[in-house]
Amino acid sequence: MVRVWKAVVPVLALMAVAVAMAGCSSSEGEDEQRLTAQRENYCTQLGAWQKARDAARTDASGDDGTDTVARDALLALEPLRDETVGQGRTLAEATAAAMNNGDSDAEGRLVQYCDAAGFETLTR
């Protein structure tokens, strides 16, 4: 009986580790999918803001809706705010600089961020 246990215990331990690792990879896969979806949403909203801003530059009617589109981009930014975009800036800092200060370098980093995430066609 002792021999059986000596053979079964390591097998059970390996099975437990395999099950635990499968659970982790599944969770990690879900986390990666969620992160990808968040990045896509942010890049979509950033592109919408860029289009609204560009349209406002040529439209003299007054109410251009850029503020509403900017709020949508800021909401999409929230779960990603601490991701880095280069030169020691976070995504939140670069987004604020681009939207509030017209910082073209910061906006360029945002576009590069979206490009690296695979969503280059969503921005200008």
Side-chain angles (χ1 to χ4, degrees), residues 7-77:
V8 170
V9 170
V11 171
L12 291 175
L14 285 173
M15 289 176 60
V17 169
V19 168
M21 288 179 66
C24 290
S25 66
S26 175
S27 176
E28 288 172 11
E30 290 171 8
D31 289 345
E32 190 61 36
Q33 287 177 341
R34 182 176 25 259
L35 183 59
T36 298
Q38 291 169 337
R39 288 174 175 157
E40 180 179 18
N41 184 39
Y42 171 76
C43 294
T44 298
Q45 298 305 323
L46 177 65
W49 169 76
Q50 289 174 315
K51 288 175 188 170
R53 181 209 49 210
D54 293 348
R57 289 178 178 165
T58 60
D59 183 14
S61 68
D63 182 25
D64 57 23
T66 305
D67 289 343
T68 302
V69 178
R71 272 191 296 271
D72 291 343
L74 293 174
L75 288 172
L77 161 74

Side-chain angles (χ1 to χ4, degrees), residues 72-93:
D72 291 343
L74 293 174
L75 288 172
L77 161 74
E78 191 56 36
L80 305 168
R81 68 181 300 109
D82 295 326
E83 291 198 351
T84 59
V85 293
Q87 294 186 338
R89 280 191 160 172
T90 64
L91 190 61
E93 292 167 336

